[in-house]
Amino acid sequence: MKPSTLHPNAKLVKWHFMCGELSFMMPIIVMFAQWRGVTFSQFMAIQALFAVALLVLTPLVSPLADKYGRRPAAIIGSGLWLAGHVVILLGYGWQSYAFAEILLGLGFAASRPALEAIVYDSLAHVGREDAHFEALTEQTRALSYAGAVAMALGGWMYLIHPTVPVIATVLSNAAMVWVAFKVKEVPYRTSIADKVPTYSEMVQQVWVSLSAQQVRWLVILPGLISGSTITLFWSVQPSLTAAGVGAGVSSILFAGYFAARGWFAGKCKQLAERFTARQCFLFCIIALAGGFAGVALLPWWLAYVPFVLGSGFTFILASMQ
């Protein structure tokens, strides 16, 4: 039995995540940002604001979900995520885009931990907390397929008008807020506050982790790999534009990328059981190197395969370790 059928919340949260992943603007976001006065260097620098917002805000916001309820946190966070995309739609210049990324980071920090806790607690409520890993795998696969749909359509929407895919993204975010209202509170089996360290605890944990030779690279490698996959994903968009690839064709390529990523998510459990973490990380490093080299040196139609391996498969495999 699929985890999504064990409790209504598991299915609702999966649909919530899918609505959030229906980002029709994703395959053209670099072009849209440049159209709105944001250079590529500014775009890449501002992307870091999202990560910084998560780092700074998660320890502050997440424990509030334990105190005031996970459902309100999910609703408010979803609303902030929607507000961030509205700012992207209406704003101009790097200042508005930077503000939008802060809103997105705050929305993610408020909603994602609360919803993940709701899924675990919902499964535990029916005595099936053992299905939590399968639920995460199912969510990852569904997210990738939803992303593939958005990718397939976003580029063609852009050809109608640059704002059309952003408007479609705002509408999918509005559906996400509606789904958040449908989620029900369940008795707590886990505490988000217990899992989200304070800043002093984070500094101490980082110091201990980097000082211990046994776990040092287990801490460093996943972060480096995940960050590199995101960099590769954003860098390929201007590379395709410079190669003369149209928005529609790029959209289809990105749809194939997300579909392949969704397929690979279903295989990760077997890979994790068959290979060691060191072997998986080695594959990630090799695939990433091939992806960057391919995008830099090969024609776009040859670089596509190493790009999918380096950005898509590597991202999924690293996140599962």
Side-chain angles (χ1 to χ4, degrees), residues 27 31 34 43 71 103 199-200 218 233 266 295 321:
M31 291 185 290
Q34 291 174 333
F43 174 86
R71 180 174 177 268
L103 288 175
Y199 293 116
S200 60
L218 290 176
F233 178 80
V295 170
Q321 295 304 307

Side-chain angles (χ1 to χ4, degrees), residues 88-104:
I88 291 176
L89 173 63
L90 302 178
Y92 185 89
W94 69 267
Q95 296 92 339
S96 63
Y97 190 75
F99 178 58
E101 287 294 329
I102 294 173
L103 288 175
L104 293 175

Side-chain angles (χ1 to χ4, degrees), residues 14 20 27 36 47 59 66 68 86 123 125 131 139 197 213 252 308:
K14 183 179 74 172
R36 286 293 176 87
Q47 285 301 308
D66 289 332
Y68 298 106
V86 171
L123 294 174
H125 187 60
Q139 288 173 10
Q213 185 176 358
I252 298 300
V308 171

Side-chain angles (χ1 to χ4, degrees), residues 24-45:
F24 298 94
M25 70 180 192
M26 190 69 71
I28 52 83
I29 184 59
V30 175
M31 291 185 290
F32 181 83
Q34 291 174 333
W35 182 63
R36 286 293 176 87
V38 181
T39 66
F40 182 67
S41 59
Q42 290 173 337
F43 174 86
M44 291 300 292

Side-chain angles (χ1 to χ4, degrees), residues 237-269:
Q237 288 193 30
S239 299
L240 291 173
T241 302
V245 182
V249 175
S250 297
S251 190
I252 298 300
L253 292 175
F254 285 123
Y257 161 88
F258 268 81
R261 204 173 78 167
W263 168 84
F264 187 68
K267 306 297 180 183
C268 274
K269 184 178 180 181

